[in-house]
């Protein structure tokens, strides 16, 4: 008879595993218990002959079969979680060791997660605007007692679309713009407002700079590198580029040099971007000629970055 009872119990547990590993407000994902799309607890050990997966299925069965508040009792190396008067699960020292914590801390964590998940409304999504880069995805939480059955519509499928997964709502940005995602489950609705932005720039990029000199001095080399980054880097409109260049050495006539500079780029309605810009630097082998014309200005002399200083016509073929 004992063998028969054990076999019958095993069959009942198997039916529980098969019956409750389906979609619904309370379900399992392996040995994890999911309530209203929130992962509330995960078993990692067997207990009293029941596998971790079976323990999770039994918790789901008991939650669905009773009502009442979630409570916790016990002390020392054993805690118990209840819903109303029904025991949901024991929390053992083996569970705590597998989770890398104490029995009390694990039981409190499971208790709080169960209590909060059961109190959720039909649908709950993040407040505020969700911003997504073009061509990328962002995942936001979609929880609630009807979240498992939700459908999603976008006000502009050209801008953004979304798909429900086990992690929540995965939003894909397609083109720059705005879209409203409407989540519906029965008579419950929720809205996620989405803005799709580009990055302020794409990195890495390569720019080029040319200097002259016999050799080109450190200041000339550094100024050419800075000017190439600020004038040739492809960015979004209104971008602000910041970077730091270590002291440059002189560059001999006819020499080539490659330099990687880490830059940070920000722009309105764009995602900031950091990365490397490769500067291809060359000292052009131009023969030295005496100046035929001198431009000078004594006030101001406070240039701090490449910028226009004079505007006038130069004579052809005249240094």
């Amino acid at each position: 008879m004992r063998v028969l009872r054990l076999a019958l119990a095993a069959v009942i547990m198997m039916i529980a595993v098969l019956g409750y590993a389906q979609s619904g407000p309370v379900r399992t994902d392996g040995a994890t218990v999911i309530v209203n799309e929130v992962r509330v607890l995960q078993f990692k050990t067997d207990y009293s002959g029941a596998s971790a997966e079976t323990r999770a299925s039994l918790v789901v069965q008991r939650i669905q079969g009773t009502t009442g508040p979630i409570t916790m009792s016990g002390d020392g190396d054993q805690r118990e979680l209840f819903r109303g008067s029904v025991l949901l699960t024991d929390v053992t020292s083996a569970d705590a060791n597998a989770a890398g914590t104490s029995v009390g801390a694990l039981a409190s964590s499971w208790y709080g997660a169960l209590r909060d998940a059961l109190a959720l409304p039909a649908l709950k999504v993040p407040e505020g605007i969700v911003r997504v880069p073009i061509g990328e995805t962002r995942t936001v939480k979609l929880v609630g007692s009807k979240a498992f059955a939700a459908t999603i519509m976008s006000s502009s499928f050209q801008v953004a679309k979304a798909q429900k997964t086990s992690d929540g709502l995965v939003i894909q940005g397609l083109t720059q713009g705005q879209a409203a995602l409407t989540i519906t489950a029965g008579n419950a609705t929720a809205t996620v407002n989405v803005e799709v932005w580009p990055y302020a720039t794409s990195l890495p990029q390569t720019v080029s700079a040319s200097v002259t000199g016999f050799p080109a001095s450190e200041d000339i080399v550094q100024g050419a590198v800075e000017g190439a980054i600020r004038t040739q880097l492809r960015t979004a409109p209104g971008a602000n580029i910041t970077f730091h260049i270590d002291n440059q050495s002189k560059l001999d006539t006819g020499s080539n040099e490659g330099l990687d500079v880490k830059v940070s780029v920000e722009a309105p309605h764009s995602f900031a971007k950091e990365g490397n810009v490769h500067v291809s630097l060359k000292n052009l082998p131009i023969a030295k000629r005496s100046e035929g014309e001198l431009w000078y200005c004594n006030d101001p002399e406070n240039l701090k970055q490449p910028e226009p200083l004079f505007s006038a016509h130069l004579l052809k073929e005249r240094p």
Side-chain angles (χ1 to χ4, degrees), residues 10-21:
V11 171
I12 293 172
M13 289 178 179
M14 183 60 70
I15 291 173
V17 171
L18 294 175
Y20 290 100

Side-chain angles (χ1 to χ4, degrees), residues 22 105 178 311 313 318:
Q22 307 298 322
Q178 299 177 339
S311 177
H313 294 287
R318 191 167 181 183

Side-chain angles (χ1 to χ4, degrees), residues 34 235 238 263 267 304 317:
I34 300 174
T235 65
V263 302
K304 297 182 179 179
E317 301 299 328

Side-chain angles (χ1 to χ4, degrees), residues 140-154:
V140 299
K141 294 296 292 182
L142 170 61
V143 296
S145 59
K146 294 185 178 180
F148 73 98
T151 59
I152 302 103
M153 290 292 293
S154 174

Side-chain angles (χ1 to χ4, degrees), residues 80-144:
E80 295 172 329
L81 297 179
F82 292 84
R83 188 179 192 191
S85 61
V86 175
L87 174 66
L88 297 180
T89 187
D90 293 288
V91 186
T92 68
S93 56
D95 293 323
N97 290 335
T101 186
S102 67
V103 173
L106 182 61
S108 296
S109 174
W110 286 0
Y111 159 76
L114 272 167
R115 179 198 59 197
D116 295 344
L118 285 168
L120 285 170
L123 292 173
K124 184 177 180 181
V125 294
E127 297 180 357
I129 297 173
V130 178
R131 295 185 172 92
V132 185
I134 295 175
E136 296 186 15
T137 61
R138 292 292 185 268
T139 300
V140 299
K141 294 296 292 182
L142 170 61
V143 296

